[in-house]
PDB file of all heavy atoms in Angstrom:
ATOM      1  N   CYS B 453       6.267  -1.108 -20.513  1.00  0.00           N
ATOM      2  CA  CYS B 453       6.172  -0.648 -19.131  1.00  0.00           C
ATOM      3  C   CYS B 453       5.161   0.492 -19.050  1.00  0.00           C
ATOM      4  O   CYS B 453       4.667   0.963 -20.066  1.00  0.00           O
ATOM      5  CB  CYS B 453       7.521  -0.166 -18.616  1.00  0.00           C
ATOM      6  SG  CYS B 453       8.650  -1.528 -18.307  1.00  0.00           S
ATOM      7  N   ARG B 454       4.897   0.926 -17.827  1.00  0.00           N
ATOM      8  CA  ARG B 454       3.950   2.023 -17.664  1.00  0.00           C
ATOM      9  C   ARG B 454       4.696   3.334 -17.527  1.00  0.00           C
ATOM     10  O   ARG B 454       5.642   3.452 -16.765  1.00  0.00           O
ATOM     11  CB  ARG B 454       3.091   1.794 -16.435  1.00  0.00           C
ATOM     12  CG  ARG B 454       1.664   2.191 -16.689  1.00  0.00           C
ATOM     13  CD  ARG B 454       0.888   2.220 -15.425  1.00  0.00           C
ATOM     14  NE  ARG B 454       0.771   3.591 -14.995  1.00  0.00           N
ATOM     15  CZ  ARG B 454       0.709   3.942 -13.736  1.00  0.00           C
ATOM     16  NH1 ARG B 454       0.812   3.031 -12.805  1.00  0.00           N
ATOM     17  NH2 ARG B 454       0.577   5.190 -13.417  1.00  0.00           N
ATOM     18  N   SER B 455       4.243   4.324 -18.282  1.00  0.00           N
ATOM     19  CA  SER B 455       4.866   5.634 -18.221  1.00  0.00           C
ATOM     20  C   SER B 455       4.328   6.386 -17.010  1.00  0.00           C
ATOM     21  O   SER B 455       3.130   6.505 -16.819  1.00  0.00           O
ATOM     22  CB  SER B 455       4.535   6.392 -19.504  1.00  0.00           C
ATOM     23  OG  SER B 455       4.861   7.742 -19.343  1.00  0.00           O
ATOM     24  N   LEU B 456       5.236   6.891 -16.177  1.00  0.00           N
ATOM     25  CA  LEU B 456       4.787   7.610 -14.974  1.00  0.00           C
ATOM     26  C   LEU B 456       4.906   9.117 -15.130  1.00  0.00           C
ATOM     27  O   LEU B 456       4.053   9.862 -14.677  1.00  0.00           O
ATOM     28  CB  LEU B 456       5.610   7.188 -13.759  1.00  0.00           C
ATOM     29  CG  LEU B 456       5.376   5.798 -13.189  1.00  0.00           C
ATOM     30  CD1 LEU B 456       6.265   5.583 -11.991  1.00  0.00           C
ATOM     31  CD2 LEU B 456       3.927   5.601 -12.801  1.00  0.00           C
ATOM     32  N   ALA B 457       5.996   9.569 -15.729  1.00  0.00           N
ATOM     33  CA  ALA B 457       6.198  11.010 -15.829  1.00  0.00           C
ATOM     34  C   ALA B 457       7.300  11.307 -16.834  1.00  0.00           C
ATOM     35  O   ALA B 457       8.127  10.449 -17.141  1.00  0.00           O
ATOM     36  CB  ALA B 457       6.596  11.577 -14.469  1.00  0.00           C
ATOM     37  N   ARG B 458       7.266  12.523 -17.351  1.00  0.00           N
ATOM     38  CA  ARG B 458       8.331  12.986 -18.235  1.00  0.00           C
ATOM     39  C   ARG B 458       8.726  14.386 -17.820  1.00  0.00           C
ATOM     40  O   ARG B 458       7.881  15.178 -17.439  1.00  0.00           O
ATOM     41  CB  ARG B 458       7.849  13.092 -19.688  1.00  0.00           C
ATOM     42  CG  ARG B 458       7.574  11.815 -20.372  1.00  0.00           C
ATOM     43  CD  ARG B 458       6.806  12.122 -21.654  1.00  0.00           C
ATOM     44  NE  ARG B 458       6.287  10.905 -22.242  1.00  0.00           N
ATOM     45  CZ  ARG B 458       6.980  10.142 -23.074  1.00  0.00           C
ATOM     46  NH1 ARG B 458       8.203  10.480 -23.440  1.00  0.00           N
ATOM     47  NH2 ARG B 458       6.453   9.043 -23.560  1.00  0.00           N
ATOM     48  N   PHE B 459       9.992  14.701 -17.889  1.00  0.00           N
ATOM     49  CA  PHE B 459      10.409  16.089 -17.757  1.00  0.00           C
ATOM     50  C   PHE B 459      11.727  16.275 -18.488  1.00  0.00           C
ATOM     51  O   PHE B 459      12.358  15.309 -18.907  1.00  0.00           O
ATOM     52  CB  PHE B 459      10.497  16.525 -16.293  1.00  0.00           C
ATOM     53  CG  PHE B 459      11.585  15.859 -15.487  1.00  0.00           C
ATOM     54  CD1 PHE B 459      12.783  16.517 -15.239  1.00  0.00           C
ATOM     55  CD2 PHE B 459      11.417  14.594 -14.979  1.00  0.00           C
ATOM     56  CE1 PHE B 459      13.774  15.916 -14.482  1.00  0.00           C
ATOM     57  CE2 PHE B 459      12.404  13.980 -14.224  1.00  0.00           C
ATOM     58  CZ  PHE B 459      13.585  14.643 -13.984  1.00  0.00           C
ATOM     59  N   VAL B 460      12.099  17.537 -18.668  1.00  0.00           N
ATOM     60  CA  VAL B 460      13.281  17.833 -19.471  1.00  0.00           C
ATOM     61  C   VAL B 460      14.287  18.593 -18.626  1.00  0.00           C
ATOM     62  O   VAL B 460      13.936  19.532 -17.917  1.00  0.00           O
ATOM     63  CB  VAL B 460      12.905  18.664 -20.714  1.00  0.00           C
ATOM     64  CG1 VAL B 460      14.141  19.011 -21.519  1.00  0.00           C
ATOM     65  CG2 VAL B 460      11.908  17.902 -21.564  1.00  0.00           C
ATOM     66  N   LEU B 461      15.517  18.131 -18.674  1.00  0.00           N
ATOM     67  CA  LEU B 461      16.609  18.876 -18.039  1.00  0.00           C
ATOM     68  C   LEU B 461      17.235  19.742 -19.118  1.00  0.00           C
ATOM     69  O   LEU B 461      17.767  19.232 -20.100  1.00  0.00           O
ATOM     70  CB  LEU B 461      17.652  17.915 -17.464  1.00  0.00           C
ATOM     71  CG  LEU B 461      18.881  18.581 -16.844  1.00  0.00           C
ATOM     72  CD1 LEU B 461      18.523  19.268 -15.538  1.00  0.00           C
ATOM     73  CD2 LEU B 461      19.986  17.567 -16.613  1.00  0.00           C
ATOM     74  N   ARG B 462      17.145  21.077 -18.963  1.00  0.00           N
ATOM     75  CA  ARG B 462      17.688  21.992 -19.968  1.00  0.00           C
ATOM     76  C   ARG B 462      18.935  22.677 -19.443  1.00  0.00           C
ATOM     77  O   ARG B 462      19.208  22.645 -18.251  1.00  0.00           O
ATOM     78  CB  ARG B 462      16.656  23.062 -20.318  1.00  0.00           C
ATOM     79  CG  ARG B 462      15.511  22.519 -21.103  1.00  0.00           C
ATOM     80  CD  ARG B 462      14.511  23.616 -21.415  1.00  0.00           C
ATOM     81  NE  ARG B 462      13.187  23.047 -21.599  1.00  0.00           N
ATOM     82  CZ  ARG B 462      12.814  22.401 -22.702  1.00  0.00           C
ATOM     83  NH1 ARG B 462      13.647  22.283 -23.724  1.00  0.00           N
ATOM     84  NH2 ARG B 462      11.616  21.887 -22.790  1.00  0.00           N
ATOM     85  N   GLY B 463      19.663  23.309 -20.338  1.00  0.00           N
ATOM     86  CA  GLY B 463      20.813  24.112 -19.938  1.00  0.00           C
ATOM     87  C   GLY B 463      22.079  23.301 -19.748  1.00  0.00           C
ATOM     88  O   GLY B 463      23.005  23.736 -19.062  1.00  0.00           O
ATOM     89  N   ILE B 464      22.142  22.123 -20.359  1.00  0.00           N
ATOM     90  CA  ILE B 464      23.393  21.363 -20.316  1.00  0.00           C
ATOM     91  C   ILE B 464      24.391  22.096 -21.205  1.00  0.00           C
ATOM     92  O   ILE B 464      24.084  22.404 -22.358  1.00  0.00           O
ATOM     93  CB  ILE B 464      23.182  19.928 -20.846  1.00  0.00           C
ATOM     94  CG1 ILE B 464      22.112  19.212 -20.020  1.00  0.00           C
ATOM     95  CG2 ILE B 464      24.489  19.144 -20.852  1.00  0.00           C
ATOM     96  CD1 ILE B 464      21.679  17.875 -20.603  1.00  0.00           C
TER      97      ILE B 464
END
Side-chain angles (χ1 to χ4, degrees):
Chain B
C453 287
R454 220 191 101 212
S455 167
L456 288 181
R458 290 167 191 273
F459 67 100
V460 178
L461 177 71
R462 289 180 206 284
I464 302 171

